Amino acid sequence: MILQTTKEIRELTGNYFANNDFGKIVGEIEMATEELAELIGQEVYKQAEGYYQNNSATDEEKELVRKVQRPIAIMATLRMYQKNDLSHEDDGRKFKIDSNSEKLPWEWQLDRDDARHLEDYYKSVDVLIRYLNKKGSEQWTKSRAYKESQKLLIRNGQEFDTYFPIEKSERTYLMLVPYIKEVQMLHTKRAYGPDKWDELLSETAEEETEVHYAACKATALMAMSLAMARMQLKVVPAGVVRSYVAESGAMASEPATMADIKLLADWIKDDAMGWLDEMKRARDGGDRIYKMLPENDKRNKFVRL
């Protein structure tokens, strides 16, 4: 494991007692480690673990270790706290509290504390992935997540944030990669034209043309709409939902309802279709002519009204 002492956990989280029994959290560390390794790739994790076990590691190598350790420590402690709200004994589950000096927290306080821990976890994962993108180590560039992203129009969270606000979350971007790939294959590529697709794919956000911007905008919007419509609410950025709820007149602390999310997804999809049309206009190099009335032909077996 890349975490082996309570002192390390306390330094990484700031809210873990150094005299806690480390054995109680080992299982949570192992589970959080597996989840993170699945996200960043086993080779990257093994690289960091090797640096951790190397007593003569350089400062740069120690930096990678710490960036891998932090999300693991945060998630492991969160799960341990959630499990320890009740003690599990032979004669059943019990809640132990000193009635003279302690008070039972309200449920909303527990929910808020959980949300705060999760937000810290997500941010620490974002920091780790941005660091890997910047360093471009061989272990990272050969990972499945990185190779899949390089086949797409939008190749990282920072680029995605240009077209749809996800708070520059690299973790959210990686979770959206399957949706981006689907939209690119079924919508953007077909609308642009498969024969010239490689030309568009070779462009970058640094020197962007109108057609590339419109294609990326449509792809980002439709990918987010798909994620929302399929009830993958965990990929919806908290800031987007909070902003929408606030604008609709509800309290910012209130979670958006399923109906709210579906309505927002429909709006985003409509916007995406408009940007697909803008992509075609930019590709053709002029204004598109819209036919207000259907053009019927006597050779057709149908009539449009």
Side-chain angles (χ1 to χ4, degrees):
M1 290 193 304
I2 203 167
L3 281 171
Q4 296 183 358
T5 66
T6 54
K7 181 181 178 182
E8 289 176 316
I9 298 175
R10 180 173 178 79
E11 290 175 353
L12 291 162
T13 63
N15 60 3
Y16 192 77
F17 288 108
N19 60 351
N20 282 355
D21 183 1
F22 183 77
K24 291 184 177 180
I25 200 174
V26 168
E28 305 303 337
I29 291 175
E30 291 176 347
M31 186 179 299
T33 298
E34 290 179 7
E35 292 173 358
L36 185 66
E38 184 68 24
L39 182 66
I40 64 175
Q42 291 291 339
E43 292 303 316
V44 174
Y45 173 75
K46 289 178 181 177
Q47 181 186 31
E49 191 176 40
Y51 293 157
Y52 177 72
Q53 296 169 352
N54 183 7
N55 295 328
S56 59
T58 65
D59 290 342
E60 185 174 334
E61 292 170 346
K62 290 177 181 178
E63 186 179 7
L64 173 61
V65 171
R66 196 164 184 83
K67 282 178 166 52
V68 171
Q69 283 179 323
R70 191 160 193 269
I72 294 173
I74 294 172
M75 182 56 73
T77 52
L78 170 60
R79 288 175 175 164
M80 192 196 71
Y81 297 151
Q82 290 173 329
K83 287 172 63 176
N84 285 355
D85 287 341
L86 297 175
S87 64
H88 302 79
E89 302 180 12
D90 293 340
D91 55 348
R93 290 180 291 185
K94 297 180 181 180
F95 186 85
K96 297 180 179 180
I97 190 170
D98 184 352
S99 58
N100 295 323
S101 61
E102 298 176 345
K103 291 183 179 180
L104 179 67
W106 297 97
E107 186 174 355
W108 67 265
Q109 291 175 312
L110 293 174
D111 290 342
R112 183 173 293 181
D113 187 61
D114 288 351
R116 181 59 186 173
H117 276 80
L118 281 174
E119 193 169 343
D120 286 345
Y121 172 75
Y122 296 151
K123 287 181 178 179
S124 64
V125 173
D126 289 340
V127 169
L128 169 60
I129 297 174
R130 279 196 292 270
Y131 177 82
L132 294 173
N133 284 335
K134 181 180 178 181
K135 293 298 181 181
S137 69
E138 183 180 355
Q139 289 80 0
W140 171 241
T141 55
K142 286 186 176 180
S143 68
R144 180 181 178 185
Y146 184 84
K147 287 191 291 186
E148 283 293 321
S149 68
Q150 298 310 295
K151 299 175 185 176
L152 304 175
L153 274 173
I154 308 172
R155 294 167 186 169
N156 55 58
Q158 189 169 359
E159 285 186 14
F160 195 98
D161 199 74
T162 304
Y163 311 108
F164 189 97
I166 58 171
E167 301 169 356
K168 297 183 180 179
S169 172
E170 299 296 337
R171 173 188 168 274
T172 300
Y173 169 77
L174 289 181
M175 297 183 71
L176 284 169
V177 163
Y179 301 101
I180 299 172
K181 185 176 181 179
E182 179 180 343
V183 170
Q184 184 171 297
M185 181 184 299
L186 299 181
H187 298 279
T188 319
K189 185 175 181 178
R190 292 180 181 179
Y192 185 79
D195 54 329
K196 295 184 179 180
W197 177 251
D198 290 340
E199 297 176 7
L200 185 64
L201 199 60
S202 64
E203 287 193 35
T204 61
E206 285 76 16
E207 299 178 0
E208 192 167 47
T209 61
E210 284 189 4
V211 65
H212 185 270
Y213 178 83
C216 290
K217 187 81 173 177
T219 301
L221 288 166
M222 196 168 293
M224 185 58 72
S225 175
L226 273 180
M228 292 180 180
R230 292 175 182 172
M231 307 306 173
Q232 297 294 317
L233 299 185
K234 59 187 177 182
V235 306
V236 180
V240 174
V241 177
R242 290 193 196 112
S243 299
Y244 170 72
V245 171
E247 289 175 6
S248 65
M251 293 179 62
S253 59
E254 282 185 37
T257 65
M258 299 300 292
D260 290 335
I261 295 294
K262 187 178 185 306
L263 181 61
L264 183 57
D266 290 341
W267 287 352
I268 293 173
K269 184 177 180 180
D270 290 342
D271 199 9
M273 298 306 294
W275 278 102
L276 272 182
D277 202 61
E278 284 298 315
M279 178 194 71
K280 295 175 184 177
R281 182 199 62 76
R283 177 200 62 191
D284 297 339
D287 294 330
R288 293 177 62 81
I289 300 174
Y290 295 89
K291 295 180 180 180
M292 304 303 294
L293 296 174
E295 183 178 344
N296 291 311
D297 191 300
K298 63 182 181 181
R299 292 171 295 182
N300 292 341
K301 296 182 179 179
F302 57 87
V303 175
R304 291 190 179 94
L305 301 176

